[in-house]
Amino acid sequence: MMNFANKIVATKAAKETPIIIMDGVSFIHTTHNDITLVATSKGNINAALIVQFLYDFIVVCKAYFGNEEFNESSIRKNFALIYELLDEVMDHGYP
């Protein structure tokens, strides 16, 4: 995971590419307000489903936060809520 973080920070091209494969692991990510959401997989997955899930998760979080934006301060303030939302929207790794 640290190599992925270094690659995202180091290169602009990595930010523009939503899927990066390193060491047999697919890192599927999106960035919103300087927050990067990442999903990882070692298997053959439906990448479009995962990308759509990440975007939809941002929308769900915004709806639960009220008038707040999806940014670092709202994530810190609503950490327990985000944890519960992930538990509800993901079943054993499946959206």
Side-chain angles (χ1 to χ4, degrees), residues 30 37 48-63 89:
T30 184
L37 281 79
L49 173 74
I50 302 304
V51 170
Q52 186 63 46
F53 172 79
L54 293 175
Y55 283 113
D56 288 345
F57 188 69
I58 293 169
V59 171
V60 168
C61 286
K62 284 180 174 181
V89 299

Side-chain angles (χ1 to χ4, degrees), residues 16-76:
E16 295 171 353
T17 306
I19 302 170
I20 297 173
I21 300 172
M22 293 186 329
D23 299 326
V25 178
S26 299
F27 292 89
I28 303 168
H29 65 94
T30 184
T31 302
H32 181 81
N33 289 345
D34 294 331
I35 302 294
T36 301
L37 281 79
V38 181
T40 62
S41 175
K42 283 191 168 189
N44 187 10
I45 58 162
N46 183 346
L49 173 74
I50 302 304
V51 170
Q52 186 63 46
F53 172 79
L54 293 175
Y55 283 113
D56 288 345
F57 188 69
I58 293 169
V59 171
V60 168
C61 286
K62 284 180 174 181
Y64 273 89
F65 295 169
N67 291 332
E68 295 183 45
E69 279 294 315
F70 188 78
N71 55 29
E72 183 178 353
S73 65
S74 64
I75 290 172
R76 288 181 189 272

